Amino acid sequence: MPTLPDGRTVPPPHAGERAMLESWLDFHRETLEVKCRGLDDRQLRTASAEPSRMTLLGLVQHAAEVERNWFQRVFAGLDVKPVYPGNTDGFTLSPRRGLDEATAVWRREIARGREVIAQASLDDAGKLSDAEAALVGGGPGLSLRWILVHMIEEYARHNGHADLLRERIDGVTGP
């Protein structure tokens, strides 16, 4: 598959539904990684604008929480604790955790999610609590297809935030 100059793999223009969804999700995962590339710890901890506490490092941590939540908790029904206990959205930073550690954790969550869905059909469904089901307007389960589309949307939205953060930090813009 072709790659962009920054190393991201371009999703195929023609593929089956599953391959298309997974390749776009991978593209957006790679985009978040690219937005963090080449920055020092202080820059990765630079918040967007008050009162927001959103940072690039926080986005990586948040992505790990989101990966665990949707693939392990919701889809597979596993009873797993938050990645960062006491920090369930991932945005709170620890002075002891830098990008290397956060990225390693995030990659482990991605790998575990891939394992969980590897043999599943796009029509297989995970379970939601009644309160969660009410939020999405559906029954107690969500298809893997829905979850993959949601994950693409989640990353795309946060990559927009990452674009703005990166531009504020050092002026770098781009896809």
Side-chain angles (χ1 to χ4, degrees):
M1 281 209 232
T3 59
L4 296 176
D6 59 22
R8 290 178 293 163
T9 303
V10 178
H14 304 281
E17 183 180 17
R18 175 81 178 246
M20 186 69 73
L21 291 170
E22 289 181 348
S23 65
W24 273 105
L25 179 53
D26 285 341
F27 178 82
H28 282 291
R29 288 167 171 153
E30 291 173 15
T31 299
L32 180 56
E33 203 162 345
V34 164
K35 293 299 172 182
C36 296
R37 194 177 293 158
L39 298 176
D40 64 30
D41 191 63
R42 181 190 56 76
Q43 291 170 313
L44 291 162
R45 294 170 183 275
T46 300
S48 56
E50 289 186 12
S52 176
R53 59 190 175 102
M54 186 179 297
T55 65
L56 287 168
L57 180 57
L59 283 172
V60 172
Q61 293 179 166
H62 177 69
E65 289 291 355
V66 168
E67 293 275 352
R68 180 174 282 190
N69 181 63
W70 286 104
F71 293 118
Q72 295 179 55
R73 284 191 197 106
V74 174
F75 185 74
L78 300 175
D79 184 20
V80 291
K81 295 185 183 331
V83 176
Y84 301 106
N87 180 21
T88 56
D89 66 3
F91 288 114
T92 302
L93 303 180
S94 165
R96 296 175 307 280
R97 185 182 320 102
L99 183 62
D100 290 344
E101 180 183 342
T103 300
V105 168
W106 175 46
R107 286 183 180 145
R108 278 194 303 270
E109 294 305 316
I110 291 169
R112 181 67 180 122
R114 284 184 175 133
E115 290 171 9
V116 163
I117 68 169
Q119 303 304 314
S121 154
L122 290 175
D123 293 322
D124 289 345
K127 300 284 188 254
L128 293 173
S129 68
D130 291 340
E132 292 168 326
L135 289 175
V136 298
L142 293 173
S143 71
L144 177 56
R145 178 182 293 102
W146 190 100
I147 292 169
L148 288 169
V149 169
H150 173 68
M151 291 295 290
I152 292 166
E153 174 273 328
E154 176 86 13
Y155 273 98
R157 181 167 30 103
H158 287 314
N159 283 337
H161 298 138
D163 285 337
L164 294 172
L165 281 159
R166 183 64 190 250
E167 184 176 13
R168 180 166 190 236
I169 291 166
D170 65 1
V172 171
T173 60

